[in-house]
Structure formats: C-alpha cells, structure tokens
Amino acid sequence: MNFNRMKNLFFIVYVFLCFSQVFSQEVGQEVLRGKIVDANGSPIEKASVKIVLSSGQIRVCQTESEGNFICEKISNENFTLLVEAQDFSILRQNFADLQDFSQNNVFTLAPAALREEVIVTANRVAARIGETPASVVTLSSDDLKTTAAPTVDDALRQVAGFSLFRRTGSRSANPTAQGVSLRGLGASGASRSLVLFEGVPLNDSFGGWVQWGRVPTVAVERVEVLRGGASSLYGNNSLSGAINILPRRTTKTFNLSAEIYGGTQHTFSGSTFVGFKKNGWTTDLVAASFQTQGYVLVERRTRGLADVFAGSRNSNLSGRVGRELGDAANVFFKTAYFGEVRTNGTGLQTNRTHIRQLILGGDWAGQNLEFGIRDSGLKIQSPRIEWRIYGGTQTYDQIFSAVSANRNSETLNRVQRVPAQNVGFSANGSVILFENQTVVAGFEIREVRGASDEVGVFNNRAASLSGAGGRERTAGFFVQDFARIGKRLVLSGSARFDSWRNYDAASATRTLSNNQTSVVNFPDRNESAFSPQISLLFQATKNFSFFALGSKSFRAPTLNELYRGFRVGNIVTLANENLRAERALNYESGAGYNLKNFYLRGNFFWTRVSQPIANVTLTVAPNLITRRRQNVGATKSKGLEIEAETRIKAFVFSIGYLLADSRVEEFPANRALENLFVPQVARHQLTFQARYARRDWSYALQGRASSAQFDDDLNLFRLEPYFQLDAFIAKRFKENLQAFVGIENVFNSRYSIGRTPVRTVGSPVNLRVGVRWK
C-alpha cells in the first residue's frame, strides 16, 4: 500500500516537473514583431530580416506588403537584428533582450550608396555599376513614374547622348523617324542602337526603327542604357550601344496596377498590369490604350489649309504564362499585339501599323551547383542558361502626298503597304570560374522577310503598281570573359562573329497606262563582321576608379534601306540595293568617383564609323528635294561624357552632359561634304533632374538643353538651340492610390524640329492629370 502511494506521488512529481520545464520554455520565448520603412515612412516590402542570437542560432523572416514582419519565437538572450532590402543600406542593431526590442520595433532603412549598389545586366553580366568599365545608365520604375513624360522614349531623353532621328518623340513623329542613336552616331531613321524587351529585339525587323508605343510604362521594371559600341555582345544594330528594357514580373499571389490620365491636346490613356502567382504558375496581363490629337507641326506663320494635327492612337495587349520547374528553372510563353493609327500633319498623310508577336523562352540557374577539380583550384559555380524563340508579323501602311507651295492643298502621289515577317532564336549561358571569373557564351540566328508594295498616283488616278523586297538571314556567336583580379582590377574581354545574307531580292513595276512590267532581280549578297572588345577598370581607392575600353561594332543595312524609298514633305529619299554595312572603331577612357551620397563619372570617347549610311542630296528644286541612301566614306565622333548625382536628405539631384563633335571625315564621291556636321547631331546636350519625396508627396523637375544641329547633309537647314523644362507632382492617398500632375515644356518653348525645308516646331506646353492604383 505504501509502495503504491509512493509510486503515485513519484508520478505526480514527474508530471509537474515536465510541465514546469515546458512552461518555463514557453515563457522564455517570444514572437518578434516589427515594421520596416524608408526615410519617408513608406513600408518596404520583401525586406529580409535576420535575428542572430548570441548562441549562434539564426531566425529568418520577410516583410509583407505593409512592411510588417513576424519572426519565430526565440529565447530571451542577446541578439542582433540584420535587415537587408534592395536599393537600401544594410541595417544592423544589437539588443540586450526582448524587452529592449519591444521599446522600438519600427526600423528605418537608409537609401543605398548612389549608383554603386545598382546591379546592371546590359553588358550580359550581372555586376555592380561601379565595377563595370562600360558606360551604363539605369532608369528605375520610380524614375519613369516621376517624370512628366508619359512614354519610355521621352523619359529616355533625360539620358545624355540618347536621341531619336529627329527632335520629336513617338507621340507625334512618324514611326520611320524613331530610330535610336547614342553619342551622336545617327544620320537616318534606322537605329544605331539595339533595343531589347523581354530579351528580344524591339527594333523593327524591316526598317530598324522602334515602335515605342509597344512598351507601356506600366509594364516596365527598369531600363538600362549601354552607351558605346556593343556589337561584341549584341551584334547587329548595336553600333552605338544597346538599351535593355526589363519587363515587370508578378512577385506575389496577386498584383494589380492601373493608371489613367487625360490632358491637353485631347490626350487620354489607360493602362493596367494584372499578375497571378500560384502553385508554380505565373500569369502577367498588360493592357494599354493611348490617344492624342497632337498639335499642328508647321509653325503658324507658314501653315496652310493642308496642315492638320499630328496625332496618334494605339492599343497594346500582351499576356505571359510561366511555369517554375523546381527551384532552378522556368519556362514561359508570351503573346503580344500592337495596333496604331497616326496622322502625320496633313489631311492625306496617315499611317497604320499592326504587329503580332510570339515568344517562347526559359531560364535555368543552378545557383547551388558547384564542382571542384582536384589540384587545379578550379571551381565551376552558378551555371545559368537563357533561351528565346520568337517570331512575328507586321503590316505597315502609309500614304504619301505632295503639298503645294502655299500649303493650302495637297495631292496624293503614293499609297504604300509594307508586310514583314521575322523568326529568331537566341541562347546564352554563363558560369563562374575560380569564384571571380565569369564566362558568358551565346549564339543567335534570325530571318526576316519584307517588301514594299506601292500604288503610284498621278492626277488622282492610279498610274503604276510596284513592289520591292527580299530576305535577310543572320547568325552570330559570341563569348565573353569577365574577371575580377584581386581587389582592385576588373578585366573584361569579348568577341563576336556575325554573318548575314540578303537573298531573293527583286523589284517590279507595272505601268497601268500600257500594262508593261519591268523586273529587276538583285544579286544575293553576303557579309560578315568580327567584333572584339576589351575593357579594364582599376579601383585606385575605395571611392576612385579608372577605366578604359576599346571595341569594334557594326550595323548591317536594313531591308528598308536597301529596297524601300519614301517621301516626307517635299523630300524624296531613294533606296539603294548596293549599301554595305557600317563599321565602327571605338575608344573611351575615364574615371569614376563615389561617396555614399555623391556619384561622379566622366569619360572621353572617340568613334570612327567607316561606310556610314546617310541620306545624300542629289538634286534641289523649288518644290522637290531628291536624296539617296549612300555609304559616305567615314564619319568621326569625339567628345566628353559627364554624369553626376547627389542625395541631400529627401532631395536627389542629377545632371548629365555630352559633348559630341560628329563630322564627315571623308567622302571621296563628294568632297563638299567633308568636315560638315553629321545631320541630326547636336554638339552639346545637357540634362538635369531634381526629385523630392517626403511622406505622401513627390515632386520632380526634368530639364534638357541642346545646341544647334542640322537637318540635312549639306548643313543648310539649321535647327536652333533649345531648352525645355518639365515638372511633376504627386500625392498619395491611403496606401495604394496616387494622384499626379505632369507638365511638359513649362515655358512653352517652340523650337525647330525639322526644316524640309518648311519649318516644323516642337509641341507647346502639355498638361496631363491622372491617378494610379497599386
């Protein structure tokens, strides 16, 4: 009996001790709750929060959309809070115990050091901008949202050295005049720079220009501008650089962003981004619509009854479906449609575009894969592969007319349709060797087919039917080695070989009055290009670095330049089936300086382009100027590039300057053009931005100035200097709603954008008011 009693007592004591131990453990553990915000008090989403205990244990959690975090229970001992977020400096704070933490659980992250913390990929390697010898400028989604300019191309005008063929943007310029050039290498409507979106060329497959309306800002995460020859990595069209537009992606279960605005010139736009993510599947949908009546291009004192508004109306729709394949790979399929209608300044001159595109792609990143080779010291880490299969069709319709001398009437003279198709494949892979050396290799192949079908009109009757076109097949292979040598040196070398063939090219014309047809078959053509590049960056001190770079680049003539002629105003430009590729030799060197809140970079550059394609004047008559595309011998562009940025509390100031002395160096066929300025290139460009954000208010100013430039190869039609100032203000309501006002050309500067030879001017002051939901 006593034994049983002792047994029961022992059992009770045992249970009590176990309960006490569990209870004491629960009392000694707590849940850490806190909030991460920026300097304006706005929550920071997806910040990484680490709790490092004095015992060495680590707890990891992440902030949600409101900036709040909840970490697992921890024991009541000393610990360190470590918070990391993109574009912010790392926060470290020590706490003696849980009570010490509970007294201050809202933490503010300071912005990261200017520019140096930015990771760029435009040179095919993910690297900090301060470790990149190449000249790279980035525009974040916030930069795009705090500018008065509603389109990506107008926002890019804030990058010194960026220019379209003419001074007008995509809202009022003919699509064939929207080619991009950097550092003063442009001389026609075809781009001298490659533009990528979703890893696929955005340049028109037939003409090389860019339809900027295909990229609504709501679908853009970031834009990277690589200035200087980039053919060693990107091949054709990157004679003067490359622009990489990174698309926005769904980051959580449901994403919704929308923007709507209206303004002067009968402007209206609505766009939305919707994203879903669940069970490894992601879906992104983008829909955008834009329309503007525009303005009358011809200055008031010379305009006539034939002059009307130059405006545009476009619609953009795309859908992307992706699937994650484990933790390292994903595939996606994207389809997109773009349609646009334009009026080009007179009653008859209009154009219409329809573009359809399909993309199938994938990425694989073996981030945790590592091999060691015995006794060699070689380590192969982080292999990555990216591939794209893409294709599309396009139909471009345009009507041309001749305007009378008094501009009170116009006569239809040509109706043109340009159908084009393209298909391509690209793939590249990278791997890290020896922990400090990245090797990248890839190849591309693409085929384009296009033609220009025209109806010639005389006395308001169809007089002839003509067509010209052909095919082009290109292939290229590249390799790059990006190495960090010690702590101070970054050495990079790359090389690419490209080959292309023009074939099945012909032109045919049938005269309707006698039904006679003439046919010309053009011989097949083959060309190739070898594009090497080598660059070096030396980190002299923690804040100061020197760099130098040399490269070769090229641009092959487009099917448009080879086979399609066109007319703008009283200027007729003829095609030339004998054009050869433009080839450039590039050198640049400079220095960079960086403190936490100050960034300065400057460099000298020198570029010589052999066989540049330009519109050369053949004859000049009172009502008609005739030009022809020709290789003109050589041009030379040399100059200076400077950019600086500083942050003072809630203010951010930046400035960019470009000096580009771009001239015709030699032209044996016409010595009169030698030493003249390259058309459409200003000698001086200056841009500046000022931004201020505090709590729910945001303010921004953007300004750009340009010296004089010429509209023609003979330097007869001078476009005077100009200055334009834009302003932006926004107010946030609650958490997700923002109202904004943007004013372009605050001082109503009416500068010349063209003389053909009639003077056309830039847009007057333009206002837009809208709201955003995120």
Side-chain angles (χ1 to χ4, degrees):
M1 187 72 177
N2 292 334
F3 176 79
N4 290 332
R5 288 180 179 179
M6 291 180 63
K7 182 177 179 181
N8 292 336
L9 179 61
F10 177 80
F11 177 77
I12 293 172
V13 171
Y14 176 80
V15 172
F16 175 79
L17 291 175
C18 291
F19 177 80
S20 299
Q21 184 178 5
V22 173
F23 180 78
S24 63
Q25 289 177 347
E26 289 295 315
V27 170
Q29 292 182 336
E30 294 289 344
V31 175
L32 291 185
R33 301 176 185 268
K35 185 173 185 178
I36 309 299
V37 299
D38 61 18
N40 301 316
S42 299
I44 299 176
E45 183 182 4
K46 286 201 167 184
S48 172
V49 180
K50 293 181 181 179
I51 309 299
V52 183
L53 305 178
S54 58
S55 61
Q57 292 181 314
I58 298 176
R59 302 286 190 270
V60 180
C61 56
Q62 190 178 72
T63 59
E64 40 86 74
S65 60
E66 299 297 326
N68 298 312
F69 68 87
I70 302 176
C71 274
E72 296 179 1
K73 296 178 180 180
I74 64 172
S75 59
N76 194 6
E77 59 181 286
N78 296 344
F79 64 92
T80 299
L81 178 73
L82 184 68
V83 182
E84 298 178 271
Q86 185 177 359
D87 299 328
F88 291 92
S89 296
I90 298 174
L91 182 146
R92 291 182 178 87
Q93 191 168 338
N94 297 321
F95 295 92
D97 50 38
L98 299 176
Q99 184 178 1
D100 185 19
F101 175 84
S102 63
Q103 294 175 358
N104 179 21
N105 59 0
V106 177
F107 305 94
T108 303
L109 298 189
L114 283 171
R115 301 293 184 100
E116 292 299 296
E117 298 299 321
V118 177
I119 303 297
V120 295
T121 58
N123 56 358
R124 299 278 192 184
V125 175
R128 298 183 186 276
I129 198 169
E131 298 177 354
T132 303
S135 177
V136 181
V137 179
T138 65
L139 294 178
S140 67
S141 59
D142 289 337
D143 292 328
L144 297 175
K145 292 174 182 176
T146 56
T147 175
T151 59
V152 173
D153 63 304
D154 278 333
L156 281 168
R157 288 175 181 270
Q158 296 304 125
V159 176
F162 173 90
S163 63
L164 301 184
F165 174 45
R166 301 189 186 276
R167 288 174 164 181
T168 42
S170 60
R171 284 171 287 169
S172 55
N174 189 286
T176 60
Q178 294 177 29
V180 182
S181 72
L182 298 167
R183 291 182 174 174
L185 294 189
S188 66
S191 287
R192 265 68 182 179
S193 297
L194 179 67
V195 182
L196 297 170
F197 186 48
E198 194 77 71
V200 171
L202 197 67
N203 302 65
D204 185 272
S205 59
F206 182 78
W209 52 77
V210 179
Q211 290 275 11
W212 291 99
R214 295 174 62 187
V215 189
T217 56
V218 73
V220 178
E221 182 65 30
R222 189 171 77 250
V223 182
E224 300 175 353
V225 182
L226 173 61
R227 296 176 294 201
S231 291
S232 65
L233 297 176
Y234 292 104
N236 190 24
N237 288 328
S238 54
L239 184 83
S240 66
I243 298 174
N244 188 23
I245 304 175
L246 285 80
R248 185 178 176 185
R249 289 284 175 264
T250 297
T251 58
K252 51 187 179 180
T253 304
F254 177 70
N255 281 131
L256 172 63
S257 294
E259 178 181 278
I260 184 171
Y261 66 82
T264 55
Q265 300 181 8
H266 297 280
T267 299
F268 175 80
S269 176
S271 59
T272 184
F273 173 93
V274 182
F276 305 91
K277 185 175 184 179
K278 188 175 183 180
N279 298 330
W281 289 91
T282 60
T283 301
D284 298 333
L285 301 174
V286 176
S289 178
F290 173 85
Q291 66 179 42
T292 181
Q293 178 179 283
Y295 67 100
V296 180
L297 299 174
V298 178
E299 62 176 334
R300 186 177 299 275
R301 64 180 179 178
T302 57
R303 72 179 60 158
L305 299 176
D307 295 305
V308 299
F309 292 96
S312 61
R313 183 175 72 252
N314 65 62
S315 298
N316 200 317
L317 183 64
S318 67
R320 183 185 189 274
V321 178
R323 172 64 175 170
E324 295 177 356
L325 305 177
D327 296 330
N330 68 82
V331 295
F332 74 90
F333 174 76
K334 179 179 179 179
T335 180
Y337 168 80
F338 173 75
E340 180 182 65
V341 177
R342 286 182 175 272
T343 55
N344 293 308
T346 70
L348 293 178
Q349 294 181 23
T350 60
N351 64 265
R352 183 186 301 266
T353 304
H354 294 283
I355 299 175
R356 300 168 181 84
Q357 185 183 54
L358 300 175
I359 303 174
L360 177 65
D363 304 271
W364 176 76
Q367 297 180 358
N368 298 321
L369 186 63
E370 181 174 333
F371 300 99
I373 299 179
R374 183 178 298 178
D375 300 328
S376 69
L378 175 65
K379 290 185 178 181
I380 302 175
Q381 304 177 66
S382 302
R384 299 180 63 90
I385 297 175
E386 176 183 292
W387 58 273
R388 301 287 188 270
I389 301 173
Y390 60 91
T393 63
Q394 171 183 296
T395 303
Y396 176 76
D397 297 299
Q398 182 152 325
I399 296 176
F400 297 90
S401 70
V403 181
S404 63
N406 61 10
R407 304 199 63 81
N408 285 327
S409 63
E410 62 177 328
T411 304
L412 178 67
N413 59 22
R414 187 182 303 183
V415 178
Q416 187 178 73
R417 165 162 285 199
V418 181
Q421 303 85 39
N422 74 93
V423 63
F425 172 75
S426 66
N428 67 82
S430 64
V431 66
I432 298 176
L433 306 176
F434 301 104
E435 297 184 351
N436 57 4
Q437 185 177 1
T438 303
V439 177
V440 184
F443 69 94
E444 298 175 78
I445 185 169
R446 188 185 192 193
E447 180 158 337
V448 178
R449 180 176 64 183
S452 176
D453 301 322
E454 301 178 1
V455 178
V457 179
F458 182 73
N459 286 335
N460 294 320
R461 297 183 60 183
S464 63
L465 302 176
S466 61
R471 295 190 177 196
E472 181 180 73
R473 181 177 298 159
T474 62
F477 171 82
F478 73 90
V479 62
Q480 179 188 36
D481 191 349
F482 188 91
R484 295 174 177 85
I485 304 174
K487 296 181 179 180
R488 295 180 178 270
L489 204 60
V490 177
L491 178 64
S492 176
S494 56
R496 175 168 174 143
F497 178 78
D498 287 270
S499 176
W500 64 97
R501 176 176 176 241
N502 295 100
Y503 63 103
D504 287 351
S507 68
T509 301
R510 180 161 69 97
T511 304
L512 297 180
S513 61
N514 56 19
N515 206 31
Q516 292 186 350
T517 301
S518 60
V519 178
V520 178
N521 293 308
F522 301 119
D524 294 350
R525 297 159 16 104
N526 294 276
E527 276 195 88
S528 62
F530 176 67
S531 307
Q533 176 177 292
I534 187 168
S535 62
L536 178 69
L537 183 142
F538 176 67
Q539 193 76 42
T541 68
K542 179 181 179 181
N543 306 111
F544 197 71
S545 62
F546 297 93
F547 54 87
L549 183 149
S551 68
K552 288 185 177 181
S553 54
F554 78 98
R555 185 187 74 88
T558 64
L559 296 177
N560 173 69
E561 292 171 310
L562 292 168
Y563 308 121
R564 172 186 172 269
F566 68 96
R567 178 168 182 156
V568 176
N570 293 330
I571 297 181
V572 172
T573 302
L574 306 176
N576 185 348
E577 71 278 4
N578 297 312
L579 294 173
R580 312 301 294 180
E582 303 174 327
R583 301 172 189 267
L585 182 62
N586 314 281
Y587 297 104
E588 63 179 282
S589 63
Y593 179 77
N594 183 74
L595 286 175
K596 185 172 183 179
N597 290 323
F598 180 74
Y599 174 85
L600 174 66
R601 189 184 195 277
N603 62 280
F604 297 94
F605 64 88
W606 182 95
T607 300
R608 186 180 190 271
V609 182
S610 302
Q611 303 183 108
I613 300 171
N615 300 331
V616 177
T617 302
L618 302 179
T619 61
V620 178
N623 296 321
L624 185 65
I625 299 174
T626 303
R627 296 175 180 166
R628 181 181 175 88
R629 300 185 181 102
Q630 292 186 15
N631 294 105
V632 299
T635 63
K636 183 185 293 184
S637 180
K638 55 184 178 180
L640 171 68
E641 196 173 65
I642 299 175
E643 57 182 350
E645 185 172 348
T646 186
R647 181 190 293 117
I648 304 174
K649 293 184 177 180
F651 289 92
V652 177
F653 301 95
S654 60
I655 188 171
Y657 169 73
L658 176 74
L659 166 65
D661 188 80
S662 188
R663 301 173 184 259
V664 177
E665 184 181 45
E666 62 179 70
F667 188 17
N670 187 355
R671 297 290 183 183
L673 296 181
E674 294 182 352
N675 206 40
L676 295 182
F677 289 100
V678 173
Q680 304 299 339
V681 176
R683 200 163 188 265
H684 302 277
Q685 292 184 43
L686 177 70
T687 66
F688 69 87
Q689 300 84 37
R691 298 189 300 274
Y692 175 80
R694 185 173 179 84
R695 294 183 180 176
D696 295 327
W697 287 92
S698 299
Y699 308 89
L701 289 175
Q702 297 92 27
R704 61 178 182 267
S706 172
S707 62
Q709 63 191 61
F710 292 95
D711 198 27
D712 67 318
D713 59 309
L714 299 177
N715 288 186
L716 298 177
F717 302 126
R718 180 178 180 268
L719 308 179
E720 74 280 1
Y722 79 89
F723 169 75
Q724 178 171 321
L725 180 70
D726 300 340
F728 178 87
I729 182 173
K731 173 69 168 68
R732 184 175 297 280
F733 299 92
K734 297 183 179 180
E735 184 60 33
N736 300 317
L737 183 64
Q738 183 187 61
F740 64 88
V741 177
I743 306 175
E744 296 177 274
N745 196 8
V746 172
F747 299 122
N748 198 33
S749 175
R750 304 308 305 276
Y751 52 87
S752 299
I753 59 174
R755 293 182 179 273
T756 57
V758 177
R759 180 175 181 256
T760 52
V761 294
S763 172
V765 60
N766 202 0
L767 169 72
R768 65 184 181 113
V769 180
V771 293
R772 295 185 180 126
W773 172 268
K774 182 179 180 181

